[in-house]
Amino acid sequence: MKAFKGKVALVSGGSRGIGRAICLMLANEGADVAFSYLTNKEKADELVRQIEQKGVRCLASKVDVRDFEAVKSWVSGVREKFGGLDFLVNNAGIVRDKPLMMMLEEDWHDIIGTNLDGMFNVVRASIVTFLKQRRGNIVNISSVSGLIGLSGQTNYSAAKGGMNSFTKALAKETAAYGIRVNAVAPGFIETDMLSSMDAQQQEKIKTMIPFARFGSADEVAAVVRFLLSEESSYIIGQVIQMDGGLAIR
C-alpha cells in the first residue's frame, strides 16, 4: 500500500533539485502532485511526464511565489482540479551570496521576497483550506544557514532563520486543528547551486563536514516523506537538521 495514495500535494519550486526529488517521492507514494516553477518550462514538462507515468495526476504551473495574487490563483486552481489539498511543501528558493559590504539592495529583497515572503504567500493561500478541513501537513525546506548563519549569506541566513521561526509559531497556532508544521534544514546538497562552485571550493567545504560528503536531494526527500507520513504524527514545530554534521552544536 502506497503511503500517500489519494492525497494531493502542493510543492513550490518543484522542477529541479530538491523540489524535483520531493515531487517524485510523492508520486512514488501515490500522491497527486501540483508544483510550481519560475523559468524552466522544459524541465517542468519533463517532470510532469515522469510523474504521470507513475499513474498519478500532475500539474505544473508557472508561478512567481513573490506575487500573492498569482499564488492565490494557483492554489485555488489546484484545489479545483484535484478536489482538495492535503500536503504543502515550501521549497521555492534562491541564493545571492556575497559579503554584506558588497550586497546590493536587490540582493537582499530578492532573497527575502522569494524565500520568506514566498513561503508566507503559499501558506497563507492554503491555510484556510487546512483549517476548514481540520487536517493538513506543511513542510518548509529551510537550511542550516538559518540555524547557525554562514559567511556571505546574511540575506539567505536571515530568510531561512525567519522560516524556522515561522514554522514554530505556525505549528503552535494550528496544532489544535490537526495541522502539523515542520521544517527540514539541509546542509550542502548536490544540486545546481552546489555544481556552480569549482572543485577546489567543493573540496574545502567537504573538510568542514564531519561526514566528509555532500547530501543528495533524495536524502532530503526521504526526510520530507517521514514528516508527511503518519510515522511522524507526534512531531510538530521542529526543524530537522540534515547536514552530515556540518552544524552540530
Side-chain angles (χ1 to χ4, degrees), residues 12 14 31 36 48 51 64 93 117 158 195 237 244:
S12 69
S36 71
V48 169
I51 288 175
D64 185 342
D117 294 346
S195 63

Side-chain angles (χ1 to χ4, degrees), residues 13-249:
S15 62
R16 297 181 298 166
I18 291 172
R20 178 179 180 276
I22 290 169
C23 288
L24 288 170
M25 174 277 295
L26 288 162
N28 285 333
E29 291 294 346
D32 294 321
V33 180
F35 69 89
S36 71
Y37 68 96
L38 185 58
T39 57
N40 199 324
K41 186 177 187 302
E42 183 179 345
K43 287 284 188 184
D45 289 343
E46 177 188 338
L47 181 57
V48 169
R49 287 192 295 270
Q50 286 183 278
I51 288 175
E52 289 181 339
Q53 287 172 359
K54 298 177 185 295
V56 297
R57 296 177 295 175
C58 186
L59 176 66
S61 304
K62 180 179 172 62
V63 182
D64 185 342
V65 295
R66 297 173 297 181
D67 183 336
F68 184 55
E69 292 303 319
V71 169
K72 282 203 305 181
S73 178
W74 172 46
V75 174
S76 176
V78 170
R79 284 198 310 264
E80 183 177 340
K81 182 177 178 64
F82 288 168
L85 184 60
D86 300 284
F87 301 148
L88 168 59
V89 181
N90 283 294
N91 176 71
I94 58 172
V95 292
R96 295 281 188 275
D97 292 354
K98 60 182 65 170
L100 183 65
M101 67 174 289
M102 299 172 62
M103 191 173 290
L104 303 176
E105 189 177 4
E106 54 262 37
D107 295 325
W108 175 268
H109 288 299
D110 284 350
I111 292 296
I112 299 298
T114 299
N115 298 359
L116 192 56
D117 294 346
M119 176 196 61
F120 165 81
N121 290 341
V122 181
V123 174
R124 180 63 183 83
S126 309
I127 197 66
V128 173
T129 296
F130 288 155
L131 290 169
K132 284 181 177 179
Q133 65 194 22
R134 299 187 72 87
R135 60 179 171 80
N137 199 326
I138 300 170
V139 177
N140 299 317
I141 306 303
S142 181
S143 167
V144 294
S145 185
L147 294 170
I148 60 171
L150 292 177
S151 177
Q153 286 194 331
T154 52
N155 50 0
Y156 191 71
S157 293
K160 294 302 187 178
M163 176 180 281
N164 294 340
S165 295
F166 178 102
T167 296
K168 294 174 183 293
L170 185 63
K172 290 181 178 179
E173 277 187 27
T174 60
Y177 295 87
I179 300 164
R180 294 198 294 120
V181 187
N182 291 287
V184 179
F188 288 96
I189 306 299
E190 291 176 331
T191 63
D192 291 346
M193 289 184 186
L194 190 63
S195 63
S196 65
M197 300 179 183
D198 61 38
Q200 186 175 2
Q201 287 176 304
Q202 292 189 23
E203 288 306 311
K204 183 178 179 180
I205 291 170
K206 284 182 184 177
T207 66
M208 301 161 54
I209 302 171
F211 219 40
R213 70 168 177 85
F214 300 131
S216 72
D218 286 340
E219 287 175 310
V220 180
V223 177
V224 173
R225 181 201 176 283
F226 171 68
L227 291 173
L228 292 175
S229 75
E230 288 304 305
E231 296 165 1
S232 62
S233 58
Y234 202 53
I235 297 176
I236 66 164
Q238 298 303 303
V239 180
I240 308 298
Q241 188 173 316
M242 53 163 307
D243 58 6
L246 173 66
I248 290 174
R249 293 181 293 176

